[in-house]
Amino acid sequence: SNSVTLARANRRVTLLEKAAQLGGRAMTSHESGFAFNLGPHALYAEGAATRTFKELGIQYSAHRPQIGGFALIEGRRETFPAGALSLMTTGLFTATEKFEAAQWLAKLGKLDASDLHGVTLHDWLASNIRHLRVRQLIQALARLTTYAGDAQRQSAAAAIRQIQLGISSGVRYLDGGWQSLVDGLRDAAIKAGATIETGQRAQSIIVEQGHVRGAALADGAIHSADAVIIAASPAEVVSITESFVSSDWLRQLKALIPVKAACLDVALARLPQPDARFALGIDQPLYFSVHSATAQLAPANGALIHVAKYLMTDETTSAKSLEAELEQVLDTMQPGWREVLVKRRFMPALTVNHALVTTATTGRPEVAVPEIAGLFIAGDWVGAEGQLADVSVASGSAAAHAAQAR
Ligand SMILES: Cc1cc2nc3c(=O)[nH]c(=O)nc-3n(C[C@H](O)[C@H](O)[C@H](O)COP(=O)(O)OP(=O)(O)OC[C@H]3O[C@@H](n4cnc5c(N)ncnc54)[C@H](O)[C@@H]3O)c2cc1C
């Protein structure tokens, strides 16, 4: 998105991508007529990404998933309490728990979380919510909306704000997957005059007297530039910049805690249980959603399902056990899935975003790299706004505007 903004402002833009194709974690693989996002991807309808794509005129087709489905508890399915009726009928809660859950679900959307930056989600839940099961429900909503499994470290303010974004305008699943966004941005960047070079790894930056002068590629080629935006992981930014930046700044980057998930993506010839489309783990950090029930991601009668486990920061479960847990979710939700399996892929520890929002005061770094004029960073770990891809797009826009001002 920053290439589109800068090229439209008549800047000479070269986008270097080390992979063979654009997209990074937003890429979609197409196999046997199914569109596989890299694990479950949902676009926040009122997040910075949606706002920016609208401003840039990027076209895509998206649908809001139906609210409701199942809560997974002690290995069984209960009705998910998504509204007044399902809350009354669910076997998830006792009568007194239902009363407390109803109160919290009503007030969560309006809660002012601005004073809660320094409080962990775990502590906030423990000191505000009486019943364990209700606490578990709110924590499950925090996991669903932020992907973070680590309530002991996550800031309550960040979790509550993201739940609010999720319950107000919700999310959208994209026809054809997130690649449609990537393709739309690529086309807009090329149309505006940007040059895109894939298979080109930026290895280092060139700095003269405190000003960035360009980027050096792995093959030794040099791209001269007045401004450089590095939109890669913190580890990659450390490797590219470490000879030029302060050790304090490097320490800040190295201290970021990634948010990870184990994902099982499954394509089925048909859905054995057509009504079992969504489930959220209440006592376990689990997720199940038939994305093709909402968006065009599968051929006729086929189903594209994402199953995931939100991982702890210091998760020690083996990949084999994680895969078995995710298969168990499929067994519970879609018994018979193995007989209609077309394709599956399991990824034990995908980095969903590079920076858990913790209670630490330093937090995510700013887009401008200190002490090097013209050098900026962007990514889902940069800048103050939002969570997940919204952070990437917001920091990308901020970096583009800062680079443009030079
Ligand atoms: C399982 C999973 C589920 C997710 N679900 C959601 C969701 O529901 N909602 C949401 O908003 N977000 C979600 N995300 C997060 C979202 O995918 C990412 O935040 C977003 O795609 C990050 O984009 P990015 O461009 O900042 O980083 P990346 O996608 O990581 O892209 C970085 C790019 O830089 C390239 N690169 C790296 N180093 C170099 C170099 N030295 N030279 C040249 N190129 C380089 C890489 O090849 C890559 O293409 C999810 C992520 C995962 C993994």
Side-chain angles (χ1 to χ4, degrees), residues 1 4 53 56 58 180-190 196:
S1 60
V4 181
F53 299 149
L56 296 176
I58 306 302
S180 61
L181 296 173
V182 175
D183 293 349
L185 288 166
R186 178 204 57 205
D187 294 348
I190 291 172
I196 296 178

Side-chain angles (χ1 to χ4, degrees), residues 16-19 21-27 38-44 49 144-145 147 162 171 178 197 200-203 230-233 236 240 259 261 263 291 308 347 350-354 378-381 387-393 395:
L16 303 168
E17 166 56 60
K18 72 176 176 184
Q21 68 174 87
L22 296 182
R25 283 167 287 153
M27 73 168 58
L38 195 63
H41 271 76
L43 186 67
Y44 279 85
L144 174 68
T145 51
Y147 284 79
Q162 193 68 2
V171 295
W178 275 39
E197 297 186 10
Q200 296 284 14
R201 176 168 187 269
Q203 183 152 294
I230 313 177
S233 66
E236 194 77 13
I240 292 172
V259 172
C263 296
H291 280 232
M347 294 152 292
L350 289 174
T351 297
V352 176
N353 73 72
H354 288 289
D380 56 18
W381 52 281
Q387 300 257 353
L388 300 162
D390 287 330
V391 188
S392 287
V393 177
S395 57

